[in-house]
């Protein structure tokens, strides 16, 4: 079945069930049924068509979590429009790259961010668009003809999600309706999502953890979701206490923050819950153990990528083994191979290659990058791992220099290039330094003519880079260690004091 027909079990089949509570303007909370979501997205589909968007067009959004992202996602799904999510933390330079590459008809955003779009790119203000949609009072839960006439199948592109892949330039992974359907079906089944679940989602909807997993598992299972604008550690006790979720999906940093909750609060949260899932970055074994002790639950760790959605997961019923990402999900095959692409034996490290209906169609308008990412139909993840005799996979690192901080990806190259554009900086290299809460944070090593004014440099970089990419320290060195061929030997850099 097509993606939309899967979700129809909730949108149409459970139309009167309360589906969602979400942060609304002015600190209020909004409550909607699945039928409300169906009607809102029908109206938005008509409003979008009136603005001239048609099948195959790209439409981007630059928004923090809010109900209108869900409306937009469903309306685009109904019309075959390709959604381009943009990280709301991105600054002009980062946004310009995505907009230039995806060429969306417009970017749906808020008035205060409109000025951050490249000149000539229409900003569609989210509130205006919503008002326009809601003015179509004649459109209700009955699907308008333009929706019923739109036929999408598993190969229809649903989204371009930008990722740096294993090399520096950010590329749009073409995720299809079939990719989202396969991911949602497998996880709903493998993690036992049920209509009586209560899912607290604090993950951003502009990345696949929130978008592919949380949003679709909610819509497919027909459970209830609480959507917050973002994760805020200071509000966790209030959210978990009042909402009493049965399911929570998070990145390791969120679990580290939750360990700060008082012991009795943690126990009470654990008593209501049935499942805590973690992914997007390595979950340290000691965090899993501390969480178990305080909340009474063994976190289920899984492994995914923007390009592949979810690949490997610890089992719901079997052993959730600390430090491992578990076993391949039901529709995904995983090989671990050496440099020549030959399978390595159990216990030997190699690169993970994956294949399945969850794997993207390739990179948007980049046939060379697509060709390089696949080998004989297998997607080369760039992640290094090892398989135990009983199949459990442990990730050991990455082939690339990717830094993951708080679950957000950082490519050193982007920061290095920006640093080298600054007057007085002759050379720069950026590496990830361990951080107890965020996993890793970027640190810059620079060769410069004068002392570095870290505060001034940070202030300058802040206007061009998302906050999570700002180096946490600048270390001035005489020279960067290099190989005979001139490549920087990052492992020989002095540790940050
Ligand atoms: C963080 N900030 C946000 C934000 N998250 N701002 C708006 N919306 C968000 N969603 C900003 C803060 O304002 C602040 O900016 C800075 O980031 C740090 O915030 P913090 O509250 O001090 O951070 P912290 O408690 O450390 O928590 C950060 C975090 C965030 C965990 C909430 O890192 C996060 O949401 N991570 C999730 C990333 C994610 O979804 N990754 C999945 C990628 S998909 P300032 O300016 O004050 O510094 C993928 C595939 C897979 O990897 O397998 O899933
Ligand atoms: P992204 O490009 O943002 O989708 O990030 C995908 C990358 O996140 C993967 O290639 C892995 O390196 C990493 N990742 C995701 N889940 C895990 C996990 N559970 N443990 C370790 N790394 C992970």
């Amino acid at each position: 079945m097509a993606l939309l027909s899967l979700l129809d079990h909730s949108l149409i089949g459970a139309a009167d069930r309360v589906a969602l509570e979400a942060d609304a303007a002015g600190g209020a909370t909004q409550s909607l049924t699945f039928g409300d979501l169906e009607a809102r997205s029908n109206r938005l589909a008509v409003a979008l068509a009136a603005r001239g968007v048609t099948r195959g067009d790209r439409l981007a959004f630059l928004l923090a979590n809010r109900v209108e992202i869900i409306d937009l996602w469903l309306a685009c799904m109904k019309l075959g429009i390709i959604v381009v999510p943009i990280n709301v933390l991105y600054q002009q330079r980062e946004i310009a790259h995505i907009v230039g590459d995806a060429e969306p008809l417009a970017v749906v955003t808020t008035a205060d961010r409109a000025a951050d779009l490249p000149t000539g790119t229409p900003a569609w203000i989210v509130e205006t668009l919503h008002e326009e949609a809601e003015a179509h009072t004649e459109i209700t839960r009955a699907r308008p003809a333009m929706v019923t006439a739109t036929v999408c199948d598993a190969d229809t592109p649903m989204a371009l999600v930008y990722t740096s892949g294993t090399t520096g330039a950010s590329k749009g992974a073409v995720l299809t309706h079939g990719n989202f359907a396969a991911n949602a079906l497998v996880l709903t089944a493998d993690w036992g999502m049920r209509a009586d679940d209560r899912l607290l989602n604090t993950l951003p909807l502009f990345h696949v953890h929130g978008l592919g997993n949380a949003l679709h598992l909610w819509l497919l299972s027909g459970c209830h979701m609480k959507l917050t604008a973002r994760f805020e550690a200071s509000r966790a006790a209030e959210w978990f206490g009042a909402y009493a979720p049965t399911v929570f999906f998070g990145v390791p940093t969120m679990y580290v923050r939750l360990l700060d909750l008082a012991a009795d609060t943690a126990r009470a949260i654990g008593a209501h819950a049935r499942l805590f899932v973690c992914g997007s970055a390595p979950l340290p074994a000691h965090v899993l153990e501390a969480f178990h002790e305080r909340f009474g639950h063994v976190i289920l760790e899984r492994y995914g990528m923007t390009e592949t959605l979810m690949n490997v997961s610890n089992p719901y019923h079997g052993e959730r083994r600390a430090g491992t990402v578990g076993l391949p999900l039901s529709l995904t095959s995983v090989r671990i191979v050496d440099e020549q692409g030959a399978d390595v034996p159990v216990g030997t490290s190699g690169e993970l290659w994956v294949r399945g209906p969850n794997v993207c169609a390739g990179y948007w308008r980049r046939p060379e990058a697509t060709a390089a990412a696949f080998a004989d139909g297998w997607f080369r993840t760039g992640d290094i791992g090892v398989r135990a005799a009983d199949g459990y996979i442990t990730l050991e690192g990455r082939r690339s220099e990717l830094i993951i901080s708080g679950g957000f990806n950082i490519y050193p190259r982007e920061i290095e290039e920006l640093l080298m554009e600054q007057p007085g900086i002759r050379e720069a290299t950026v590496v990830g330094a361990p951080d107890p809460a965020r996993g890793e944070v970027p640190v810059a090593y620079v060769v410069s003519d004068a002392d570095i004014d870290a505060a001034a440099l940070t202030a300058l970089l802040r206007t061009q880079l998302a906050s999570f990419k700002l180096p946490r320290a600048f270390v001035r060195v005489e020279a960067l260690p290099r190989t005979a061929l001139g490549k920087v030997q990052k492992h020989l850099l002095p540790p940050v004091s």
Side-chain angles (χ1 to χ4, degrees), residues 163 279-282 301-306 325 383 395 398 404 409:
T163 169
S280 308
E301 185 175 3
R302 85 336 174 251
Y303 155 65
M305 287 183 86
T306 298
V325 287
D383 289 308
L395 295 181
R398 291 177 290 269
I404 305 184
N409 282 8

Side-chain angles (χ1 to χ4, degrees), residues 46-90:
V46 172
L48 291 177
R51 284 195 180 215
V53 197
T54 56
R55 187 191 178 106
D57 282 341
R58 276 80 56 214
L59 195 55
F61 71 83
L62 176 70
L63 295 167
N65 287 357
R66 53 192 289 163
V67 179
E68 287 77 7
I69 298 180
I70 301 168
D71 299 335
L72 188 69
W73 184 257
L74 290 174
C76 290
M77 188 184 297
K78 290 175 174 182
L79 295 180
I81 296 164
I82 307 172
V83 181
V84 185
I86 304 178
N87 187 325
V88 76
L89 296 172
Y90 283 176

Side-chain angles (χ1 to χ4, degrees), residues 1 36 89 97 108 159 171 185 189 191 308 352 369 373 394 432 443 447 449 467 486:
M1 277 210 293
D36 293 335
L89 296 172
H97 171 74
V108 179
K171 302 183 283 287
L185 282 166
W191 296 346
T308 63
L352 269 73
T394 302
V443 168
V447 179
D449 297 333
S467 57

Side-chain angles (χ1 to χ4, degrees), residues 96-450:
H97 171 74
I98 295 179
V99 168
D101 194 71
E103 297 186 318
L105 213 65
V107 180
V108 179
T109 190
T110 45
D112 62 325
R113 294 305 304 271
D116 291 329
L117 306 186
T119 320
T121 304
W124 287 359
I125 305 306
V126 63
E127 289 84 4
T128 313
L129 197 55
H130 177 66
E131 276 167 27
E132 240 168 79
E134 288 304 298
H136 284 283
T137 47
E138 78 285 4
I139 310 284
T140 59
R141 292 177 182 180
R143 281 193 181 153
M146 71 177 68
V147 169
T148 46
T150 305
V151 182
C152 297
D153 69 10
D155 290 330
T156 309
M158 178 68 232
L160 304 183
V161 186
Y162 276 76
T163 169
S164 300
T166 51
T167 58
S170 182
K171 302 183 283 287
V174 182
L175 289 164
T176 63
H177 284 235
N179 294 147
F180 285 102
N183 189 65
L185 282 166
V186 165
L187 297 186
T188 299
D190 283 6
W191 296 346
M193 291 295 293
R194 299 188 306 241
D196 61 355
D197 271 322
R198 295 171 66 76
L199 169 66
L200 172 61
N201 184 51
T202 64
L203 286 159
L205 294 176
F206 47 75
H207 281 317
V208 302
H209 196 165
L211 184 67
N213 294 8
L215 187 82
H216 286 82
L217 268 54
W218 159 60
L219 289 172
L220 181 58
S221 67
C223 71
H224 190 276
M225 178 167 82
K226 176 179 174 65
L227 179 72
T228 68
R230 50 163 303 201
F231 179 82
E232 286 170 79
S234 60
R235 298 187 65 190
E238 166 202 333
W239 288 336
F240 275 93
Y243 185 63
T246 60
V247 179
F248 179 75
F249 300 150
V251 297
T253 306
M254 294 177 183
Y255 287 102
V256 171
R257 301 285 185 227
L258 291 179
L259 290 177
D260 290 337
L261 294 177
D264 54 343
T265 309
R267 245 192 325 274
I269 290 171
H272 289 121
R274 117 181 136 73
L275 179 63
F276 291 91
V277 179
C278 185
S280 308
L283 176 69
H286 69 87
V287 175
L288 179 139
E289 280 147 23
F291 193 88
H292 186 195
E293 205 170 286
R294 294 174 73 80
F295 290 75
H297 288 267
V298 180
I299 298 170
L300 185 156
E301 185 175 3
R302 85 336 174 251
Y303 155 65
M305 287 183 86
T306 298
E307 292 95 325
T308 63
L309 302 175
M310 300 305 111
N311 292 314
V312 179
S313 171
N314 272 280
Y316 183 72
H317 292 292
E319 182 196 358
R320 298 178 193 168
R321 196 175 296 168
T324 81
V325 287
L327 305 156
L329 283 159
S330 349
L331 295 180
T332 305
S333 303
V334 179
R335 289 174 61 197
I336 302 187
V337 303
D338 64 18
E339 298 277 325
Q340 283 71 44
D343 292 286
V344 297
V346 158
T348 304
S349 303
E351 184 185 357
L352 269 73
W353 287 11
V354 300
R355 193 172 69 181
N358 54 311
V359 177
C360 72
Y363 294 110
W364 177 249
R365 292 179 177 164
R366 286 178 201 264
E368 289 96 26
T370 302
F374 287 88
D376 303 330
W378 293 81
F379 182 78
R380 309 160 60 143
T381 65
D383 289 308
I384 306 297
V386 60
R387 202 187 313 238
D390 59 4
Y392 278 69
I393 294 171
T394 302
L395 295 181
E396 298 178 311
R398 291 177 290 269
R399 252 185 14 176
S400 67
E401 294 170 348
L402 172 71
I403 300 167
I404 305 184
S405 188
F408 288 122
N409 282 8
I410 302 170
Y411 266 82
R413 181 77 182 273
E414 185 186 3
I415 310 171
E416 289 162 1
E417 282 172 8
L418 199 53
L419 282 171
M420 283 188 282
E421 287 170 19
Q422 309 311 319
I425 295 187
R426 282 186 279 128
E427 292 179 68
T429 195
V430 172
V431 296
D435 180 82
R438 301 222 171 98
E440 293 175 288
V441 288
V443 168
Y445 291 80
V446 294
V447 179
S448 61
D449 297 333

